[in-house]
Amino acid sequence: MHTAAGVEACLPIRSDMDLVWVRQHVRQAAARLGFGLVDQTKLVTAASELARNTLVHGGGGQMAAQHVSSRGSQGLRLAFSDEGPGIADLELALSDGYTSGGGLGMGLSGARRLVHDFEIDSAPGSGTTVRVTCWVVRPPRPREGV
Ligand SMILES: Nc1ncnc2c1ncn2[C@@H]1O[C@H](COP(=O)(O)OP(=O)(O)OP(=O)(O)O)[C@@H](O)[C@H]1O
Ligand SMILES: [Mg+2]
């Protein structure tokens, strides 16, 4: 398990301008934690897609950013949440190219590939929370029973 150093920041996602702040915040937080340029860009790209989904599909919400550490590795954990309609079929929503609107349907599936850990909590009528974590250096998986 990793330890969390508390919620560092909570940003609203209510407008296109908020998406700019989200990208900027994630870029700066990742740089501060020691992510290289390529990894910063991966995380910013994932965050941008997830924040856009929060705004467009979820009707707005927020992003909470948290610094986490595990076995000497530093990570950034981001949680995007909304109280929108939720996602009825998660498997379908996560498949490449699926969109319920006029998008490319690559946001969720693409974001999942860009991060180390990806979790969605969603149900029709109860909103959506997507949590992602990226590690500066990925910690080894703990062995069974250790
Ligand atoms: N926060 C959310 N609330 C409700 N539905 C969502 C949410 N995020 C994603 N979805 C659903 O999952 C589908 C797939 O999302 P994804 O981001 O992959 O594609 P998209 O947003 O339609 O297009 P784009 O490629 O432009 O992002 C969406 O079309 C939408 O139906
Ligand atoms: Mg999208």
Side-chain angles (χ1 to χ4, degrees):
M1 276 311 288
H2 54 258
T3 57
V7 173
E8 256 181 24
C10 195
L11 280 74
I13 302 175
R14 302 251 163 236
S15 67
D16 285 343
M17 197 59 213
D18 289 340
L19 300 183
V20 176
W21 300 132
V22 162
R23 282 193 285 270
Q24 192 176 92
H25 181 89
V26 171
R27 168 81 62 187
Q28 282 171 0
R32 211 165 50 231
L33 285 178
F35 283 84
L37 210 53
V38 171
D39 289 335
Q40 286 174 36
T41 303
K42 286 184 185 175
L43 192 50
V44 170
T45 303
S48 182
E49 288 300 327
L50 296 174
R52 207 154 55 81
N53 284 350
T54 300
L55 181 63
V56 172
H57 303 295
Q62 60 188 28
M63 177 190 79
Q66 196 171 44
H67 169 194
V68 290
S69 68
S70 177
R71 296 154 187 254
S73 293
Q74 307 307 311
L76 190 58
R77 189 161 204 251
L78 306 172
F80 299 83
S81 52
D82 64 64
E83 293 179 356
I87 302 173
D89 188 338
L90 281 176
E91 205 183 320
L92 182 63
L94 277 164
S95 54
D96 281 345
Y98 172 77
T99 177
S100 60
L104 291 174
M106 295 303 289
L108 270 185
S109 55
R112 174 148 80 164
R113 284 191 287 263
L114 288 169
V115 298
H116 292 133
D117 298 299
F118 183 98
E119 275 169 42
I120 299 192
D121 204 345
S122 183
S126 55
T128 300
T129 298
V130 182
R131 293 186 190 85
V132 300
T133 309
C134 265
W135 298 96
V136 176
V137 177
R138 196 172 194 187
R141 287 196 179 281
R143 275 178 292 133
E144 200 87 342
V146 175

